[in-house]
Amino acid sequence: MKLAHQSRARAGLSRRTSTYIKAQAVASPVPTAAPSALKSDVAKIAVLGASGYTGAEVVRLCALHPNIKVTVLTGDKQAGKNFSDVFPHLVAATNVPKLVKIDDVNFADVDAVFCCLPHATTQEVIKKLPSTLKVVDLSADFRLRDPVMYAQWYGHEHAAVELQKEAVYGLTEVYREQVKSARLLANPGCYPTCSQLPLYPLLKAKLILPEDILIDAKSGVSGAGRSAKESNLYCEIAEGINAYAVGSHRHMPEIEQGLSEAAGTPVTISFTPHLINMSRGMQCTSYVKLAPGVTADDLRAHLAATYEGEPFVRILGKGVIPHTRHVRGSNYALINVFPDRLPGRAVIISVIDNLVKGASGQGLQNLNLMMGWSETTALLQLAMFP
């Protein structure tokens, strides 16, 4: 971002806050593309676990990508079926293959892989793939850098520790340069994406305190996956809202990992997720303590400066409340900051589509960078409304 833009965005900051920002702010580089190593302009892509929601979303987005040809779709339980039989809304995607079992795939004919498999399953599959493949993993298997932490939260030892060391965490707006050179990309979870986008730069600039961060998070039911579960039946979720995994959700250590890096000190959050009676969408409402001399307006100004020029993150006008319906089907994140009625605190609201920016869309954004394509390719769809 240009310094002139930064100066205008920070014009209203207090002298104390300006000092913080000049010393600490992380500017977002203008998105660029790394040189492509492909001999052809078109990459052959395999989608593993294509019969789930995130797999279907990858195929939907790739249908508009000029540099991608989906040549492999796997779904062991649906093997042999046409993709449109599993997802009728993609009936127009006539140029994709039938679903096959993973064991039947010839990866010699593939350039890159989207792995949309459940955690634990993923690490076993990826460690057997040719090391020449670019891999975007949408599971949680490679997000946590500490294998001890992974074992603690997922209940078993990691089966591919060497690959875990290699993986690049793909919160694109923060780790863009590392993503460009990644071979194995750990795509962030939906809750970590939605919450870290506003909190990471504010902690980095020391505009908020690293203690007493409370995150109230709500997700559409698609975040629970497509497998048949009693808790996801219509009568279980209709006409209501419910908290789940209270105090034990596995996205907590992922969020804390990123926020601790930003703050330069260990950060422990209070995080409670809720299931909302809607198919897709996510909102994180974060309650934070302001650093001395800092106001809610200062937070908003810093976020506006940080994300100036970013293609997919928007800081809304003062007082405008982000709505999940305004990002539905898109790769955009909407954020705003509000003063809390409690002195010294602020409320930050961020929204994304959990299946797009929270999963498959950010995955494609990262693959674009990994392959040397324009970052926004096939991702500029505006939100669907109503």
Side-chain angles (χ1 to χ4, degrees):
M1 113 190 49
K2 297 181 180 179
L3 291 177
H5 290 160
Q6 292 179 335
S7 298
R8 287 194 296 272
R10 297 170 184 167
L13 297 178
S14 65
R15 182 176 301 173
R16 174 86 182 244
T17 305
S18 296
T19 302
Y20 282 142
I21 291 178
K22 290 175 183 176
Q24 303 290 341
V26 284
S28 301
V30 175
T32 57
S36 175
L38 283 177
K39 296 180 180 179
S40 169
D41 290 334
V42 177
K44 297 177 181 178
I45 304 296
V47 183
L48 311 184
S51 58
Y53 291 137
T54 56
E57 201 72 350
V58 167
V59 175
R60 182 180 74 87
L61 295 171
C62 287
L64 297 176
H65 203 299
N67 303 108
I68 285 179
K69 180 175 177 56
V70 177
T71 58
V72 174
L73 297 173
T74 77
D76 285 7
K77 294 180 180 179
Q78 306 283 4
K81 292 184 179 180
N82 291 319
F83 198 59
S84 59
D85 292 336
V86 179
F87 291 106
H89 72 292
L90 296 176
V91 65
T94 56
N95 59 340
V96 298
K98 290 185 176 182
L99 290 154
V100 297
K101 295 183 177 182
I102 291 180
D103 291 341
D104 295 334
V105 177
N106 179 7
F107 287 102
D109 295 329
V110 172
D111 297 306
V113 171
F114 280 100
C115 199
C116 306
L117 298 166
H119 74 268
T121 302
T122 296
Q123 57 198 261
E124 295 286 354
V125 170
I126 290 180
K127 72 178 183 180
K128 297 176 183 177
L129 296 178
S131 60
T132 54
L133 295 181
K134 299 276 190 179
V135 179
V136 175
D137 178 28
L138 272 67
S139 83
D141 276 7
F142 296 97
R143 295 173 188 161
L144 298 181
R145 300 185 184 104
D146 183 355
V148 174
M149 184 69 70
Y150 176 88
Q152 176 185 335
W153 283 88
Y154 287 88
H156 59 87
E157 299 296 321
H158 200 285
V161 175
E162 291 305 313
L163 285 178
Q164 191 178 35
K165 295 176 183 178
E166 175 190 350
V168 171
Y169 186 69
L171 187 63
T172 320
E173 287 74 17
V174 174
Y175 302 102
R176 180 175 282 113
E177 292 306 312
Q178 295 94 316
V179 169
K180 289 179 182 179
S181 59
R183 204 279 300 182
L184 171 59
L185 192 289
N187 212 58
C190 47
Y191 286 127
T193 296
C194 196
S195 56
Q196 286 185 93
L197 282 174
L199 296 179
Y200 190 102
L202 297 178
L203 283 166
K204 185 78 173 178
K206 301 190 183 305
L207 298 179
I208 60 175
L209 301 182
E211 64 263 16
D212 293 335
I213 296 176
L214 313 177
I215 303 175
D216 183 307
K218 298 175 175 64
S219 175
V221 184
S222 59
R226 202 186 189 200
S227 59
K229 302 174 186 175
E230 181 179 306
S231 60
N232 294 344
L233 294 174
Y234 177 80
C235 290
E236 304 290 331
I237 61 170
E239 303 177 29
I241 173 176
N242 65 276
Y244 67 100
V246 178
S248 62
H249 196 282
R250 288 167 169 172
H251 281 178
M252 280 196 287
E254 182 184 342
I255 297 171
E256 291 173 347
Q257 174 179 266
L259 299 188
S260 297
E261 176 184 275
T265 189
V267 173
T268 301
I269 60 171
S270 179
F271 172 85
T272 304
H274 302 76
L275 206 59
I276 294 285
N277 181 22
M278 60 185 184
S279 60
R280 61 166 80 205
M282 173 167 289
Q283 174 176 309
C284 287
T285 303
S286 301
Y287 303 87
V288 299
K289 280 185 175 180
L290 300 168
V294 175
T295 69
D297 284 344
D298 295 339
L299 302 189
R300 184 183 169 278
H302 181 68
L303 288 174
T306 298
Y307 289 117
E308 177 75 22
E310 281 290 344
F312 297 115
V313 181
R314 296 287 188 271
I315 311 305
L316 300 184
K318 187 174 180 178
V320 179
I321 299 175
H323 292 194
T324 58
R325 60 179 173 271
H326 295 158
V327 293
R328 181 178 170 87
S330 80
N331 198 51
Y332 292 93
L334 305 182
I335 301 171
N336 217 343
V337 183
F338 304 86
D340 199 329
R341 65 187 296 265
L342 297 176
R345 297 192 69 96
V347 180
I348 304 170
I349 299 175
S350 50
V351 298
I352 60 172
D353 184 314
N354 60 293
L355 291 179
V356 190
K357 185 59 172 170
S360 306
Q362 186 165 214
L364 182 55
Q365 185 180 354
N366 285 322
L367 184 68
N368 282 337
L369 288 169
M370 293 163 69
M371 302 299 286
W373 302 322
S374 173
E375 180 175 335
T376 61
T377 306
L379 289 171
L380 292 175
Q381 302 96 322
L382 298 180
M384 300 179 291
F385 180 83

